[in-house]
Amino acid sequence: MKRLLLFAMVCASISFVSAQKKFDKVSKVTSSEIRWWGYKVVKTEASSHSGTVKLKSGKFNFDKTVLVDGEFVIDMRSMMAGDVSEEDQIKLTNELKSTNFFEVKKFPIAKFHLTKIIPLANSEYNSTIYGDITIKGVRKTITFPANAYVTQFTVVIESAKFSLNRRDFKVFYQSSLKDYFIKDEMDFQFRISTEKLDNDNRVPVKKKK
């Protein structure tokens, strides 16, 4: 019995050490841009809104030269509407941050864990991104197309515009008819890089010699 207990303790120790394994290389995100879009039921340019939200931190983990995964923290307090007048911008931004939508006081951050990148052939985008996103404490597995470039420890990802269902993350007016005038889909698009990006060419800026 004692031998069995000792064997179990050794196995548990090995599992713990494996789980705590440090990656050989961590590349931090130094350049990022995240955009969002929301729509009313009648989806027109006049009945939609768009804006930005900022990345708080991001990194890619490597085992030797192989990309293992990515971890990203989004600052929901930075959410901003950007397509309306200054007065309406403040009103809409405060509404999005309120308990009716993202509850940023209670949930100040969202997270995205990139789990894998699968190459695509003969497509507008060269990859499919897989990962888990957590908004308001709700985690969902998502996939979306993107152009991804990994060279040594440099990573550049430019996503296509992709949709999330806001109701999956409990983002809706509580007991209000207003909610029925808003589409369930929220669109997002982002660009992240471990190096500063050239906005015109969207490639890593070459380091000066």
Side-chain angles (χ1 to χ4, degrees):
M1 185 68 180
K2 287 183 179 179
R3 288 182 178 179
L4 214 65
L5 182 61
L6 181 61
F7 178 73
M9 290 175 67
V10 170
C11 288
S13 299
I14 292 172
S15 297
F16 179 78
V17 170
S18 297
Q20 295 297 312
K21 177 187 175 183
K22 291 185 178 180
F23 295 102
D24 294 317
K25 173 71 175 180
V26 175
S27 290
K28 293 185 178 180
V29 172
T30 57
S31 179
S32 63
E33 180 183 5
I34 307 173
R35 295 193 57 80
W36 59 263
W37 290 264
Y39 312 98
K40 292 183 180 178
V41 172
V42 181
K43 186 176 176 180
T44 65
E45 185 175 347
S47 65
S48 65
H49 292 294
S50 64
T52 59
V53 63
K54 294 181 179 179
L55 189 72
K56 186 175 183 179
S57 64
K59 64 180 181 179
F60 294 94
N61 298 311
F62 288 83
D63 185 2
K64 295 181 180 177
T65 58
V66 178
L67 176 62
V68 177
D69 64 2
E71 302 171 41
F72 312 95
V73 178
I74 302 160
D75 184 3
M76 298 303 290
R77 294 169 296 188
S78 70
M79 179 172 283
M80 184 71 67
D83 64 329
V84 288
S85 65
E86 184 175 351
E87 183 178 346
D88 289 336
Q89 181 187 58
I90 295 172
K91 183 178 179 181
L92 178 56
T93 298
N94 288 339
E95 184 77 354
L96 291 170
K97 293 180 179 181
S98 74
T99 55
N100 289 326
F101 288 98
F102 291 97
E103 290 188 86
V104 298
K105 285 186 178 181
K106 186 177 180 180
F107 303 100
I109 62 171
K111 295 181 180 180
F112 178 61
H113 178 208
L114 186 155
T115 55
K116 58 184 175 181
I117 301 174
I118 303 298
L120 285 175
N122 303 318
S123 175
E124 181 182 356
Y125 295 91
N126 67 19
S127 304
T128 299
I129 306 294
Y130 291 75
D132 300 316
I133 191 164
T134 302
I135 301 174
K136 294 184 69 174
V138 179
R139 186 177 69 180
K140 295 287 183 181
T141 297
I142 62 173
T143 64
F144 52 85
N147 282 321
Y149 307 95
V150 182
T151 307
Q152 288 292 341
F153 302 114
T154 297
V155 183
V156 178
I157 297 178
E158 298 178 341
S159 81
K161 187 184 287 189
F162 62 95
S163 297
L164 299 178
N165 189 321
R166 63 188 177 90
R167 290 186 173 274
D168 287 343
F169 303 94
K170 301 178 182 178
V171 177
F172 52 81
Y173 276 104
Q174 303 292 330
S175 303
S176 173
L177 288 174
K178 291 181 180 180
D179 197 65
Y180 292 98
F181 294 96
I182 305 172
K183 290 188 73 68
D184 289 341
E185 68 177 311
M186 304 181 295
D187 285 347
F188 294 90
Q189 189 171 29
F190 68 85
R191 180 177 62 167
I192 55 176
S193 173
T194 56
E195 292 190 2
K196 185 176 180 181
L197 290 177
D198 181 324
N199 287 328
D200 292 327
N201 298 320
R202 297 192 175 189
V203 296
V205 174
K206 292 182 180 179
K207 295 180 180 178
K208 294 181 180 179
K209 295 181 180 180

